[in-house]
Amino acid sequence: MPRPAIHQSCTKIVATVGPACDTPEQLAELIKAGVDVFRINTAHGKIADHEKKLKAIRAASEQVGSPAGVLLDLAGPKIRLGELKSEPLQLDIGAELTFIREGEPANDFEVTATYPKLIDELQPGNTVMLADGMVALVVESVSTDRATCRVTASGEVRSRQGINLPGVKLSVSSMQRNDIANAMWAAENGIDFISLSFVRSDEDVYSLKNVLKAHDCDAFVIAKIEKPEALEHLEEIVDAADGIMVARGDLGVEIDVAETPMAQKRIIQVCKEKVKPVIVATQMLESMHHNSTPTRAEASDVANAILDGADACMLSGETAVGDHPIKAVEVMSRIMRVTERNLIHEINHSVSHCVHPITTAVTNAAISIAEAIDASMIIIATRSGGTAWVKSKSRSSIPTLGVSDCPATLRRIQLFWGIRPVGIEKMASPAEIRAKISQWGKENGQLKKGDRIVFVTGSGVVEKAHNAVVVHSVE
């Protein structure tokens, strides 16, 4: 039985894999520092590159003895600039920039886009944002093959940078050909979580779920909220998805940046009400790309996400291409642990559609018992992870282990707030599990004689057994 890192933060850390951390040895160090789930960003590289990263993650998990989860992030219909004639291109206020439908740009201030229908869907007066919102344009005129824009906020742009069109209703599908291919690869390779970019409605979520279902894949589908349309249909999207990501990078460009903090709070609140995990992402420790410590504002940002109710926070460039990937994880984990001391335990009586109501009731009762008797630990035996998820949403501070004989469930638990996964032998009895946990706890200084453990058996873990709560004293 691997040693679960119960000394780490309850809020989970998602870290993006990139050139700064793509070997098994580097990834193993990140797991030790506090990473629970690794993100593979399909916007960069091809399937062969994703396979290499997945193998490195699995090797690192074996090395450390901790089943790290894997999140595959589908790029979606991200619109990007084509190759610029001159790079970088400085755009000053008042300058004219023209998008052309096809062909080679005739001068530095003519550009192409990866979305063939861009010119068809632009209208005079529309706003166009480049370079993550740093450069702003307004559309002045549109003809059959050209859209002429005027620069209203200056800056530097480069080839392949993203284009955001706040307020423009695009007809492009949420899943592109590459996304479908990547989703099929994910289904064949046991990926735990698949995130879908630029979701606009629940239909987008169901489209991905249908692809996965056709390939007998039960990976969690994480809907990324980064479009105004997604905020308009938030409740339906949360209902359809298995989890949500607050993707603040594009969201902060697609809506007024001043509205982003309150949008984040609203998204998290809806996820809490509907019992769905939520990840807060983008620029959490942005300055740690190059600096060894974050800004005070960044530390506050992480803390506020936790206080709002986030289940996980995500590092992007900080670990993928940053100078201090391990330190970034260590700092985030430290901020989380300090913040979690001030969380208020609240039993969530909402029932997830994927968890039996009896399971929910019994799990909540077990938490109340554990709190009343000052239990040292809660042990949740679960086959699918549903029972562990109910406990996670309570935000109880009692250390909790999620015990399962299913490797996929153990990796999925890595996204559940406050639950550490522990693998057991297939068909272990409740008595055997209690004995093993007690032995492990005493050997590692986590438990001592007389400590009380509250043991919860989830539906279907032991054949023909119903949910049960047992209070066990360590001998």
Side-chain angles (χ1 to χ4, degrees):
M1 182 175 68
R3 176 174 178 168
I6 60 175
H7 64 282
Q8 293 177 345
S9 56
C10 292
T11 308
K12 300 308 181 77
I13 297 177
V14 182
T16 303
V17 180
C21 63
D22 58 2
T23 68
E25 294 73 23
Q26 291 169 320
L27 295 170
E29 290 303 312
L30 288 178
I31 295 173
K32 293 176 185 177
V35 171
D36 304 285
V37 176
F38 286 107
R39 169 180 174 250
I40 298 175
N41 185 4
T42 63
H44 304 289
K46 300 184 182 299
I47 285 180
D49 302 303
H50 312 332
E51 287 178 344
K52 182 179 178 181
K53 291 175 181 175
L54 179 60
K55 287 180 180 178
I57 294 168
R58 297 289 190 239
S61 294
E62 287 290 329
Q63 181 179 327
V64 178
S66 178
V70 179
L71 184 154
L72 191 76
D73 196 342
L74 303 181
K78 179 73 173 180
I79 303 173
R80 298 183 181 275
L81 290 169
E83 295 297 323
L84 301 181
K85 195 172 182 65
S86 177
E87 188 169 3
L89 175 62
Q90 176 63 36
L91 294 176
D92 296 321
I93 292 178
E96 186 178 278
L97 186 73
T98 301
F99 287 92
I100 61 174
R101 186 181 296 276
E102 57 187 13
E104 291 293 323
N107 57 64
D108 291 351
F109 293 91
E110 283 190 355
V111 296
T112 58
T114 58
Y115 180 42
K117 297 174 65 176
L118 175 64
I119 293 173
D120 298 328
E121 300 189 354
L122 286 178
Q123 297 179 4
N126 285 159
T127 298
V128 179
M129 309 292 284
L130 308 176
D132 292 330
M134 301 302 294
V135 178
L137 317 170
V138 63
V139 179
E140 291 194 330
S141 63
V142 180
S143 63
T144 304
D145 297 311
R146 305 168 71 84
T148 301
C149 306
R150 189 73 58 185
V151 178
T152 57
S154 63
E156 199 175 76
V157 296
R158 297 178 180 272
S159 300
R160 307 294 298 173
Q161 283 187 323
I163 301 172
N164 290 91
L165 306 166
V168 179
K169 302 291 185 181
L170 299 175
S171 59
V172 62
S173 171
S174 65
M175 289 188 66
Q176 302 295 288
R177 185 176 302 173
N178 283 344
D179 296 321
I180 295 173
N182 284 321
M184 292 169 61
W185 173 81
E188 293 166 359
N189 286 273
I191 297 295
D192 308 295
F193 312 98
I194 303 176
S195 56
L196 181 60
S197 299
F198 302 104
V199 170
R200 287 164 291 184
S201 71
D202 56 346
E203 293 180 1
D204 296 334
V205 177
Y206 291 126
S207 294
L208 175 55
K209 285 197 167 186
N210 288 337
V211 171
L212 299 178
K213 184 177 180 181
H215 290 79
D216 296 321
C217 176
D218 60 357
F220 270 24
V221 171
I222 309 295
K224 295 171 67 175
I225 306 299
E226 49 196 337
K227 298 284 289 182
E229 298 98 309
L231 293 174
E232 294 171 9
H233 303 285
L234 181 61
E235 297 210 2
E236 305 98 283
I237 292 171
V238 175
D239 282 334
D242 300 303
I244 294 294
M245 182 186 294
V246 187
R248 303 181 305 178
D250 283 289
L251 181 63
V253 178
E254 292 281 342
I255 66 174
D256 187 339
V257 68
E259 297 176 5
T260 306
M262 294 311 298
Q264 173 177 312
K265 290 179 181 293
R266 179 188 165 216
I267 295 165
I268 293 174
Q269 182 58 39
V270 172
C271 289
K272 288 170 66 177
E273 292 170 357
K274 294 182 178 291
V275 199
K276 297 292 177 75
V278 56
I279 305 166
V280 176
T282 316
Q283 297 180 333
M284 301 225 75
L285 298 177
E286 181 75 6
S287 67
M288 291 194 74
H289 272 75
H290 304 296
N291 299 333
S292 59
T293 57
T295 66
R296 276 63 173 169
E298 288 167 344
S300 295
D301 184 34
V302 174
N304 281 321
I306 296 164
L307 294 172
D308 286 344
D311 295 278
C313 294
M314 192 174 92
L315 296 167
S316 300
E318 298 95 330
T319 53
V321 296
D323 296 335
H324 310 284
I326 295 174
K327 192 172 288 291
V329 174
E330 291 174 340
V331 167
M332 177 169 274
S333 182
R334 194 164 74 247
I335 295 168
M336 288 173 169
R337 291 196 303 272
V338 172
T339 305
E340 286 162 2
R341 297 173 193 162
N342 297 288
L343 289 178
I344 298 173
H345 168 214
E346 294 181 359
I347 292 289
N348 189 336
H349 293 285
S350 300
V351 179
S352 170
H353 72 279
C354 61
V355 180
H356 197 287
I358 294 177
T359 299
T360 300
V362 170
T363 304
N364 286 337
I367 296 167
S368 296
I369 292 170
E371 298 278 1
I373 66 174
D374 195 24
S376 299
M377 195 174 291
I378 297 175
I379 311 299
I380 294 177
T382 179
R383 187 170 303 275
S384 66
T387 314
W389 177 238
V390 173
K391 194 278 175 182
S392 170
K393 298 309 290 182
S394 76
R395 292 304 193 261
S396 168
S397 60
I398 296 176
T400 302
L401 304 183
V403 178
S404 181
D405 59 7
C406 176
T409 295
L410 295 172
R411 296 193 301 268
R412 184 176 295 172
I413 285 173
Q414 288 286 29
L415 194 61
F416 295 179
W417 192 98
I419 313 289
R420 293 292 163 186
V422 178
I424 57 170
E425 295 177 7
K426 193 172 183 63
M427 300 305 293
S429 70
E432 290 171 333
I433 296 173
R434 289 196 293 272
K436 287 186 177 183
I437 294 298
S438 296
Q439 181 183 354
W440 164 83
K442 288 188 291 184
E443 289 176 353
N444 292 282
Q446 304 293 337
L447 294 171
K448 63 183 184 298
K449 184 176 180 179
D451 281 351
R452 297 186 180 104
I453 302 173
V454 175
F455 180 86
V456 184
T457 301
S459 297
V461 175
V462 181
E463 190 176 358
K464 298 181 181 179
H466 298 292
N467 280 353
V469 178
V470 174
V471 177
H472 174 73
S473 293
V474 177
E475 299 177 351

